[in-house]
Amino acid sequence: MEHEVVIVVFDGVQSLDVSGPLEVFAGAARVPGGRYRVRVASLGGGAVTSSSGLGLVPSVALEEVGRIDTLVVAGGEGARGEADPALVAWLADACGRAGRVASVCTGAFLLARAGVLEGLRVTTHWAYCEELARRFPGVEVVADPIFVRQGRVVTSAGVSAGVDLSLALVEEDLGRRVALAVARHLVVFLRRPGGQAQFSAPLAQQWAQRPAVREVQHWIVEHPGADLSVQALAGRVGLSVRQFARVFARQVGCTPGRYVERVRVEAARRWLEESEAGVEAVARRCGFGSAEVMRRVFVRSLGCSPAGYRSRFHGGGV
């Protein structure tokens, strides 16, 4: 029996939120062992205009869709605005009967409107996480992961994260061989898991305009295992601890301690993915001091232990 995948589109949809998952599932259907039937659907089956102006012609009307094994809700400007009540009502019904439900980027706003995300831990594009949390207080929004799974509901970050999410679902359905074949054909990595951050620690925060503070940021990135206490960092720029903490937070957007922790987590992730060094050695090298300290930080930041992270990503896991 074919696995029915339905991708929901609407006016103002982000075209890459549609084409990414579409190419992954359609590619998997062409691989020996693939068994997907992928359809793009809109209300009434009519053409829609994406946020970039590209016209999309769906293959079926939402009202005509029967069984749904995987429902994918794309994002875009049309998802964050005043959604068509008929679309929201359809989603509320369809999500209740779908085998699993996934959103790409701001498609999470539509799922939230339909009441699907209430009480769940979810993510969306980092730029809209605060808005999603503010508009839907019953939803727990996390900004870092590429995608988050809560039972049969999976939400993902922006644009390319929809490809990562779709590859993970293909691997779940058909195994790593098929997912890897699709990834190779699309020339993308089969490496980014849901727990990975949407962007690196340096990119997550702005670079300071003040040269001295910017140099400290570079020093932190290049020396994660060094003494990166506020006292030590303040001494590098000749400021008091209080002055440095205040200037750093104003220039960078977070406290020195938070920035250091993010950089160290990223450094440890790279070591766990790319080296054979033991967890204790990685913890010391990246400035955590001990494996237990690193474990607590990983669980808080990534939702898994260093050992669990390595077992999943070392050598290329989804």
Side-chain angles (χ1 to χ4, degrees), residues 43-246:
L43 283 173
V48 301
T49 303
S50 73
S51 57
S52 63
L54 179 68
L56 301 175
V57 181
S59 53
V60 67
L62 289 173
E63 298 85 346
E64 298 173 0
V65 170
R67 193 181 88 250
I68 306 172
D69 295 303
T70 298
L71 179 65
V72 179
V73 182
E77 295 174 3
R80 292 175 49 234
E82 290 300 320
D84 188 325
L87 174 59
V88 175
W90 185 89
L91 286 172
D93 173 70
C95 289
R97 56 189 172 86
R100 65 187 174 202
V101 177
S103 67
V104 181
C105 195
T106 52
F109 282 79
L110 284 174
L111 291 184
R113 280 181 178 276
V116 178
L117 303 185
E118 192 70 18
L120 300 184
R121 184 173 182 264
V122 308
T123 193
T124 187
H125 189 293
W126 63 267
Y128 302 110
C129 283
E130 289 187 6
E131 180 184 349
L132 182 63
R134 183 178 67 253
R135 289 173 56 181
F136 302 98
V139 178
E140 181 187 353
V141 183
V142 290
D144 282 343
I146 290 175
F147 61 85
V148 174
R149 181 158 198 167
Q150 292 273 273
R152 63 187 187 88
V153 178
V154 197
T155 53
S156 69
V159 187
S160 64
V163 173
D164 297 298
L165 167 61
S166 301
L167 286 169
L169 296 180
V170 167
E171 182 176 26
E172 177 182 308
D173 294 337
L174 305 177
R176 180 173 175 78
R177 180 187 62 81
V178 175
L180 183 58
V182 174
R184 285 173 173 164
H185 181 74
L186 296 177
V187 197
V188 296
F189 289 107
L190 188 65
R191 288 211 40 156
R192 296 206 309 170
Q196 284 197 344
Q198 293 189 28
F199 34 51
S200 66
L203 289 178
Q205 308 298 153
Q206 62 192 16
W207 290 108
Q209 292 184 344
R210 189 164 172 170
V213 177
R214 191 163 60 246
E215 289 176 10
V216 168
Q217 286 181 273
H218 285 295
W219 168 262
I220 294 170
V221 172
E222 294 169 0
H223 304 86
D227 178 3
L228 300 180
S229 63
V230 179
Q231 292 85 348
L233 297 175
R236 295 189 65 83
V237 294
L239 296 174
S240 70
V241 169
R242 180 174 296 181
Q243 283 179 308
F244 173 74
R246 184 172 62 249

